Amino acid sequence: MDYRDAGVDVEAGRAFVDQIRNLVHSTFRQGVIGGLGGFGGCFQLPGGFKEPVLVSGTDGVGTKLKIAQILNRHDTVGIDLVAMCVNDVLTSGAEPLFFLDYVATSKLEPEQLTQVVAGIASGCRLAGCALLGGETAEMPGFYQVGEYDLAGFCVGIVEKSQMLDSSQVQIGDIAIALPSTGVHSNGLSLVRKIVGDRGLAWDEHPQLLGGETIAEAFLKPTQIYVKPVLAARQAELEIHGMAHITGGGLPENLPRCLGENQSIQIHANSWTIPPIFQWLAKVGSVSTEAMYNTFNMGIGFVLLVPPHQVEQTISFFKSQDISALAIGEVIHGSGTLTGLPS
């Protein structure tokens, strides 16, 4: 017997690496040393920093992968993988430098996984970071045929004096929301349960979704906020804190950027809930509280700015084709979020 008899095709793995080489190279930026195929990826830190701080993050895509695999559409989940990591790193004010991925599957399917890596490369280009390397693991017997899982790892850099760590947040700061592109990569287990329990098909066109199929609506990739937010900081807009709205929605994530004895008062009805969330609540009979504790409800990223910077901040993001809006303010409190509809 050999390794192929056990379900692992080493030659196919080598061929796959050659197949994705150009995709990986398309993400390279200044600082990358060497190419694909070594035991480790090498990156030279950029100059000009007095006290550089490296910020790291890791995440996955979750059960959104199940939808991609059911539909045999794998071109967007790679963007999700990058987005979930780089948006987290961004909250510290860091610029993502490089990204690594880990792909585990039962059997290497080159066409399927090339789509995945193409999405990862696209996400890296959108975030301005290099896809420095990765690992593809064939694990027959551990995953079902056609299944795969993804994990991502990102490293960014920020000048220590420019790092955001909640100490800059002040009472009276205003929360400026940047819109999401949909559910992003959180709450998909509930989405799948609703679709399954209601006997719906992924290719249906619910009227409330505006002509999109259910699959198209939920496979939209997570928005990557890196370039416009970094541009805002370079434009010297005063930003005191940032939050990436992921699992747990606004109640869990927005308070994470606050300092001691601070809370956030949300201005009820300050934004319109997108149709995709209205549809989920209606079809799944999901309570308002459960919706806000599961989904981003149309807000993917939040910045805390002083009151005198609100109009300038909103105008700046409008110039970047992003419809930012004020949704609340920092108040005295104990790290909670108040004012959400119930």
Side-chain angles (χ1 to χ4, degrees), residues 9 37 42 72 81 96 112 153 166 171 210 213 217 235 244 250 267 282 297:
D9 191 336
C42 299
N72 195 29
L81 183 67
Q112 176 195 66
F153 312 88
S166 79
I171 302 298
T213 66
H244 180 202
L250 286 163
H267 299 153
K282 180 180 179 180
M297 300 302 281

Side-chain angles (χ1 to χ4, degrees), residues 32 41 49 55 95 116 156 171 178 196 283 297 318 324 337:
V32 176
F49 288 84
V55 183
E95 174 191 358
V116 173
I171 302 298
L178 306 184
V283 175
M297 300 302 281
K318 184 177 180 180
L337 192 68

Side-chain angles (χ1 to χ4, degrees), residues 55 126 144 173 267 281 284 303 329:
V55 183
L126 289 170
Q144 297 297 316
D173 281 348
H267 299 153
L303 306 95
E329 64 180 302

